[in-house]
Amino acid sequence: MSREIVLDTETTGFDPRQGHRMVEIGCIELDGLLPTGRSFHTLINPERHIDDEVVRVHGVTNEKVKDAPCFRDVADQLHDFIGDAPVVAHNAGFDRAFVNYELGLCGRLEIHVDRWVDTLGLAQKRFPGMANSLDALCKRFKISLAERTLHGALIDARLLASVYLELRGGRERSLDLASDAIRNGVAAVKASAYGPRPRPLAPLSTAEERDRHAAFLRSVLADTSLWGRWAPELGKSEEA
């Protein structure tokens, strides 16, 4: 599987063409549908006021972003982190509009629409007519929302990475690969543990070996025991 970036943004509103700006962005790197541990996250000074009703959704206040970098200050870092990877987002058109708007303000190339993967669209195809918000999908796939009291770009990107894995069937594929590995391992152990059948018989013991064995038994078995009484006679029948 190719490298992918799961991305989420928080903003001051719904439409950058109406003057709304980004206040937070979070990205998670995936490789083969699984997080690599690498991420990119920052608050962003939107250079405008954040209304109270929006703050109630994501919790990013004017005070929090007062000393945060502007987007132009982090554009290069974001660009380097994403690279040429596909970008996964829920309701991707929303995030794409804000990311590309901010990139355009900085004089940087936009991320082409063909590179965006919309998990909302994937969910609607798989669950037509059902609620397919990020929260609904997390509950459907039994992904814990314990850490999520408010919307947050990095938290939502992490949750979306888990949802995306489920939408792509990645967990089942991982289990299949693990099962194959187990089966192959068992086969290898069996092949190394068992030789061809029937096995050749071991060579018969020599008279000297039988004498040493009888002497050993006489030394460790009590004379009063049944085996002790037999020990002196051991080896004689074979010699007769």
Side-chain angles (χ1 to χ4, degrees):
M1 296 293 295
S2 61
R3 176 178 181 267
E4 297 171 290
I5 301 296
V6 179
L7 177 147
D8 187 72
T9 63
E10 302 298 339
T11 66
T12 64
F14 296 103
D15 192 345
R17 294 171 298 182
Q18 296 179 7
H20 291 293
R21 304 289 298 276
M22 199 185 302
V23 297
E24 186 182 16
I25 186 167
C27 301
I28 301 291
E29 182 185 60
L30 304 182
D31 187 10
L33 298 176
L34 299 176
T36 65
R38 294 187 66 228
S39 63
F40 175 86
H41 173 246
T42 185
L43 292 172
I44 297 170
N45 188 332
E47 302 178 277
R48 58 155 288 165
H49 182 77
I50 307 173
D51 295 331
D52 291 341
E53 60 267 25
V54 181
V55 172
R56 283 193 289 271
V57 175
H58 52 53
V60 180
T61 64
N62 291 286
E63 183 65 24
K64 283 184 179 179
V65 297
K66 180 179 63 175
D67 298 321
C70 297
F71 184 86
R72 58 181 172 271
D73 299 322
V74 299
D76 288 340
Q77 298 173 52
L78 177 65
H79 181 272
D80 291 343
F81 184 82
I82 294 176
D84 59 358
V87 180
V88 180
H90 200 66
N91 190 15
F94 177 87
D95 297 287
R96 183 176 69 245
F98 275 93
V99 171
N100 283 343
Y101 178 78
E102 297 284 1
L103 289 171
L105 290 179
C106 300
R108 287 168 175 79
L109 292 176
E110 298 180 352
I111 301 175
H112 194 272
V113 63
D114 292 343
R115 289 177 54 191
W116 292 80
V117 178
D118 186 8
T119 51
L120 177 58
L122 294 176
Q124 288 170 338
K125 289 180 181 178
R126 182 165 175 179
F127 306 109
M130 299 178 67
N132 287 303
S133 66
L134 181 57
D135 280 10
L137 290 169
C138 285
K139 292 173 183 176
R140 192 169 300 147
F141 290 128
K142 295 180 173 56
I143 297 168
S144 175
L145 292 166
E147 297 183 42
R148 189 185 189 236
T149 55
L150 292 169
H151 287 269
L154 190 60
I155 292 174
D156 283 2
R158 285 173 177 159
L159 293 173
L160 184 56
S162 297
V163 166
Y164 183 56
L165 172 63
E166 296 290 351
L167 289 172
R168 290 297 196 193
R171 183 171 297 177
E172 287 78 4
R173 272 208 301 276
S174 296
L175 290 174
D176 288 343
L177 290 172
S179 298
D180 288 343
I182 292 171
R183 285 192 293 269
N184 292 337
V186 170
V189 169
K190 287 182 177 178
S192 62
Y194 299 100
R197 292 294 189 269
R199 282 188 171 184
L201 295 174
L204 296 175
S205 60
T206 65
E208 182 183 357
E209 289 172 335
R210 291 193 295 274
D211 288 343
R212 285 204 303 268
H213 180 62
F216 170 75
L217 290 177
R218 284 193 294 270
S219 69
V220 297
L221 297 175
D223 291 339
T224 57
S225 70
L226 177 63
W227 288 106
R229 292 196 297 274
W230 278 88
E233 304 300 323
L234 288 173
K236 290 183 179 180
S237 60
E238 293 183 359
E239 295 171 359

